[in-house]
Amino acid sequence: MSDVDAHRHRYRSPIAAIVGLAEAALLRDDLDEDLAKQLRAIRGLAQEALDADERREERRRRSRPPSSPDDVR
């Protein structure tokens, strides 16, 4: 398994990985305030993209007709 595949599995997507990595970096006590500000902005933008992707995926699932009786919920 490549590093990319491992991260995709762990974080669900590259966008989720960016959110997680930014959050982990922000836990450090020795961050320069400018870097922390940039990391918060990156995390916020990535979180917005992740939320939009999840909403889009949910709409796609709802609009797709079930392919078998097991798919009906």
Side-chain angles (χ1 to χ4, degrees):
M1 178 182 295
S2 73
D3 288 342
V4 172
D5 291 335
H7 283 293
R8 185 168 292 133
H9 173 72
R10 181 174 177 190
Y11 291 112
R12 300 183 323 266
S13 73
I15 297 171
I18 292 169
V19 172
L21 292 171
E23 287 176 350
L26 286 166
L27 293 175
R28 295 183 54 149
D29 293 328
D30 61 346
L31 280 183
D32 175 75
E33 186 54 39
D34 287 335
L35 178 57
K37 184 178 179 179
Q38 292 173 353
L39 284 168
R40 284 191 293 273
I42 290 167
R43 180 191 59 196
L45 290 170
Q47 186 62 57
E48 286 177 17
L50 186 61
D51 293 343
D53 188 54
E54 288 173 352
R55 286 190 302 271
R56 191 171 34 254
E57 185 64 27
E58 181 60 31
R59 281 193 306 270
R60 187 182 64 78
R61 270 191 244 116
R62 280 187 274 142
S63 66
R64 186 177 60 203
S67 59
S68 73
D70 294 335
D71 290 340
V72 177
R73 292 186 179 141

